[in-house]
Amino acid sequence: MQKIMTGKVKEVYAIDDDTLEFAYTDHISVFDKIIPSMVPHKGETLCRTAKYWFNILNQNGINNHYISEPSKDRMDVRRVQIIRDYSKIDNTTKNYLIPLEIICRHYAAGSLMDRVKAGKVTAEQLGFPKGHEVKYGEKLPQPFVEATTKLEATDMNLTTEEAKKMAGLTDAEYDEIVKTTLRIDEIIAREAAKRNLIHCDGKKEYAYDKERKLMVIDTFGTLDEDRWWDAEEYAKGNIVELSKEFVRQYYRETGYHKALYDAREKGLPEPDIPALPQEIVDRVSKLYVDMYERITGEKF
């Protein structure tokens, strides 16, 4: 096997022209930065959670790239080409990674709230009446779906038109991606509700297969891609974060988040992200194991 890529949380190996192997590591990343701390069991829990969801997609007839799980922290998947020159992609291109991340939000949280506070997203865009004050944790009147870049060093928000142009998509093809995302989120919400979880938001990635049929790829429905809350606590008016959101909050509280985004806004060199204290590493590791069991209903 030949290693072809080291990503933020996984290494990618080529088995042959049609097959890749994902090896999930214990690295953790936030704000597109890899933290210099390893989190025990993280890679295995991510891999096994992703496998759980891909099996559910298969049961629901949703095309995806999953083939098999050679070990508990590895996954074999169908291989597609990565085309970095977007001018070479149009609506006839086949077997390629669609260079977008599709974010679907059901509650006001995370970076969406940052953008609301900064006036970059309005209450009306989220489906609220004009003049409504959006509060953290509030359920959105309708799912808010948007696209960001996938292959750039840092994710950039795109308008629908920019996303379609970049990825070589027709209006109908983009609509199919949005509908598929909403269908998957309905399945996740239904399964999560059985285990007293709220699925707040998450991202999906897609490709076209050799027949240009839409295919779900990468990983989804995990603590890395998605935000989860405890449903019982939410009903009492409390938001209990059950994802790596508290790691993001740690870096917000230390001031690193502000320093990083100030540097990005000004085009200055980005500050290195510091390691996590051991106490937070231990907390994160326990959370990944506990949430694997809670999301899937399986023992670790």
Side-chain angles (χ1 to χ4, degrees):
M1 275 195 304
Q2 178 198 356
K3 187 195 241 185
I4 57 171
M5 195 184 88
T6 299
K8 288 197 278 280
V9 297
K10 66 179 180 293
E11 295 167 346
V12 181
Y13 296 87
I15 294 177
D16 55 41
D17 289 347
D18 297 316
T19 318
L20 295 177
E21 188 160 294
F22 290 168
Y24 289 78
T25 70
D26 288 338
H27 286 294
I28 183 166
S29 73
V30 290
F31 317 126
D32 293 316
K33 306 294 270 186
I34 300 171
I35 300 169
S37 306
M38 302 293 266
V39 177
H41 311 303
K42 179 177 177 287
E44 184 181 331
T45 57
L46 276 193
C47 186
R48 289 169 67 181
T49 306
K51 175 194 156 210
Y52 167 81
W53 289 120
F54 281 123
N55 284 330
I56 287 181
L57 291 195
N58 288 336
Q59 290 160 21
N60 284 270
I62 298 173
N63 191 37
N64 63 81
H65 74 163
Y66 177 69
I67 299 171
S68 64
E69 185 192 41
S71 67
K72 289 183 173 178
D73 60 357
R74 288 180 179 243
M75 180 190 298
D76 288 355
V77 300
R78 287 190 269 170
R79 184 176 187 177
V80 295
Q81 56 183 331
I82 296 173
I83 304 171
R84 294 183 182 275
D85 181 352
Y86 304 139
S87 67
K88 295 192 167 133
I89 302 174
D90 62 26
N91 63 356
T92 64
T93 313
K94 294 177 181 174
N95 203 47
Y96 75 100
L97 177 141
I98 297 169
L100 304 173
E101 293 184 353
I102 306 298
I103 321 291
C104 185
R105 304 176 191 275
H106 306 278
Y107 292 79
S111 63
L112 177 62
M113 280 306 296
D114 294 341
R115 288 156 63 203
V116 168
K117 286 175 186 163
K120 293 176 182 173
V121 175
T122 65
E124 300 99 287
Q125 283 173 289
L126 299 174
F128 290 109
K130 188 173 171 60
H132 175 85
E133 187 190 337
V134 183
K135 296 174 195 68
Y136 194 93
E138 195 169 7
K139 191 170 194 328
L140 303 178
Q142 63 209 29
F144 183 64
V145 182
E146 56 186 343
T148 69
T149 55
K150 159 72 184 161
L151 299 176
E152 316 305 316
T154 56
D155 300 339
M156 293 184 296
N157 290 311
L158 300 168
T159 65
T160 301
E161 288 311 311
E162 286 169 341
K164 286 189 281 201
K165 186 176 180 200
M166 180 179 282
L169 301 169
T170 64
D171 293 351
E173 286 170 339
Y174 188 81
D175 287 348
E176 184 190 12
I177 289 171
V178 171
K179 281 180 186 156
T180 304
T181 301
L182 293 173
R183 189 176 163 212
I184 294 169
D185 273 11
E186 281 172 16
I187 293 167
I188 292 175
R190 185 184 70 218
E191 294 299 314
K194 294 174 188 173
R195 288 181 271 281
N196 206 25
L197 287 170
I198 289 173
H199 179 240
C200 176
D201 57 44
K203 78 174 175 71
K204 313 283 181 295
E205 296 180 23
Y206 295 91
Y208 279 116
D209 66 15
K210 291 181 177 181
E211 283 74 51
R212 199 173 164 91
K213 186 180 171 193
L214 191 65
M215 179 165 73
V216 184
I217 63 162
D218 201 61
T219 312
F220 71 95
T222 74
L223 266 67
D224 272 20
E225 286 80 16
D226 298 58
R227 191 187 316 270
W228 308 87
W229 293 339
D230 183 277
E232 213 168 272
E233 288 296 326
Y234 185 82
K236 296 177 195 165
N238 305 322
I239 290 174
V240 176
E241 297 281 0
L242 297 171
S243 59
K244 67 177 183 181
E245 180 62 22
F246 77 85
V247 179
R248 296 187 191 100
Q249 290 301 340
Y250 166 77
Y251 286 110
R252 287 171 192 268
E253 285 159 17
T254 62
Y256 176 77
H257 173 268
K258 184 177 187 312
L260 174 66
Y261 278 81
D262 283 351
R264 284 180 179 170
E265 288 270 329
K266 294 170 183 162
L268 298 170
E270 297 183 3
D272 290 336
I273 191 162
L276 289 168
Q278 188 59 44
E279 166 226 345
I280 292 190
V281 170
D282 294 343
R283 242 181 98 192
V284 178
S285 181
K286 184 176 185 308
L287 177 70
Y288 272 85
V289 172
D290 290 350
M291 281 297 287
Y292 163 76
E293 295 186 338
R294 195 157 166 191
I295 290 168
T296 66
E298 298 167 3
K299 284 301 283 178
F300 178 66

